[in-house]
Amino acid sequence: EQASAYSTIANGGKFREPTCIVTITDSKGTVLVSDEVEETEIYEKNAALMMVDVLKGVLIRGTAAGNYLSNNMPCAGKTGTTDEMKDGWFCGFTKYFTTTVWVGCDNPKKVNNLFGATYPLSIWRPFMEEIHKGLSPKDWDMYVMPNKAKKALDKDDLTTTEEETTEPEMDQQIDDVIDDEPVTEEEVPVTEAPVTEAPVETEAPVTEAPVVTEAPVVPEPVE
């Protein structure tokens, strides 16, 4: 199941039902069953090619660095380790073959130094080297980078978007945000909440005979 999953990526996103049958013929040599299997598109080809490119890096600078196949044979793969080192995986492929290696115990238990890049990889690489002897290197097509990704990688476009905001518009947006923010007591304008000890004249000027309120604002009583 793991091998068929990774072969789907290797085959441009097309899944092929695994089978152990190469061919079946009758006594006269007539082919009754061939190795042709129906393909089902699981991933878009471009997406599969992008994933191939990512998995190539695993064998160059990733967790399986230094285990690239000889003879310049393009290959890709992924290491895997479960908790407590109970399972170790290496799933890798070329344009010719996909091989998956699992190392562990039927009754799960910890295996010392079990990681995807230890025992599984040490089995995968020599096996793949052997079955690729005499085969010419084959590589995958280059994927097409989506436009959005191109813009993100283009240094000149890092500050530019389809809905670019000009500086005046940005300043106005900042002003709007400031106007909408609640004003704290420390920010209250003096004209709205006087804080001086002296009385403040209101819109109705004080007459010669001011009215004494419950809280006089003059320093001495008025006769």
Side-chain angles (χ1 to χ4, degrees):
E1 291 176 345
Q2 285 277 34
S4 63
Y6 276 85
S7 69
T8 301
I9 300 173
N11 292 325
K14 294 181 179 180
F15 172 76
R16 299 173 181 172
E17 188 70 33
T19 177
C20 61
I21 298 174
V22 176
T23 184
I24 298 177
T25 61
D26 61 15
S27 59
K28 296 180 181 179
T30 304
V31 176
L32 303 177
V33 178
S34 67
D35 62 350
E36 294 182 2
V37 293
E38 184 178 350
E39 295 181 339
T40 304
E41 185 176 18
I42 303 298
Y43 309 115
E44 292 183 0
K45 182 178 179 180
N46 195 56
L49 292 175
M50 292 176 75
M51 182 55 68
V52 168
D53 191 58
V54 171
L55 295 179
K56 279 182 176 181
V58 173
L59 289 150
I60 299 174
R61 55 188 174 273
T63 53
N67 286 277
Y68 212 72
L69 297 181
S70 61
N71 194 30
N72 295 320
M73 180 65 70
C75 57
K78 185 70 184 73
T79 58
T81 310
T82 60
D83 294 342
E84 301 178 1
M85 293 185 288
K86 292 181 179 179
D87 301 275
W89 291 89
F90 190 82
C91 305
F93 53 85
T94 65
K95 287 283 286 185
Y96 292 100
F97 300 105
T98 298
T99 300
T100 294
V101 178
W102 168 80
V103 175
C105 299
D106 291 336
N107 296 319
K109 65 179 182 179
K110 180 178 179 179
V111 178
N112 291 332
N113 197 39
L114 175 58
F115 298 97
T118 55
Y119 308 127
L121 183 57
S122 67
I123 297 170
W124 180 88
R125 187 184 182 189
F127 175 78
M128 291 288 275
E129 291 278 17
E130 183 66 26
I131 63 177
H132 283 82
K133 283 184 177 179
L135 299 178
S136 301
K138 283 187 179 181
D139 205 348
W140 290 267
D141 296 333
M142 186 60 188
Y143 63 86
V144 179
M145 184 178 292
N147 291 331
K148 290 184 178 180
K150 285 182 180 179
K151 289 184 177 181
L153 293 176
D154 190 338
K155 189 174 182 180
D156 295 334
D157 290 341
L158 287 177
T159 58
T160 304
T161 62
E162 295 179 359
E163 298 179 359
E164 184 177 1
T165 303
T166 62
E167 290 187 5
E169 290 175 340
M170 186 176 297
D171 292 340
Q172 182 60 48
Q173 291 175 5
I174 294 174
D175 292 340
D176 292 342
V177 171
I178 293 175
D179 292 341
D180 291 341
E181 291 181 350
V183 180
T184 62
E185 291 183 359
E186 295 180 355
E187 297 172 336
V188 176
V190 175
T191 55
E192 294 182 9
V195 293
T196 59
E197 294 182 0
V200 179
E201 290 185 359
T202 62
E203 294 181 358
V206 179
T207 61
E208 294 180 359
V211 178
V212 178
T213 63
E214 294 180 1
V217 294
V218 292
E220 297 180 357
V222 179
E223 293 181 356

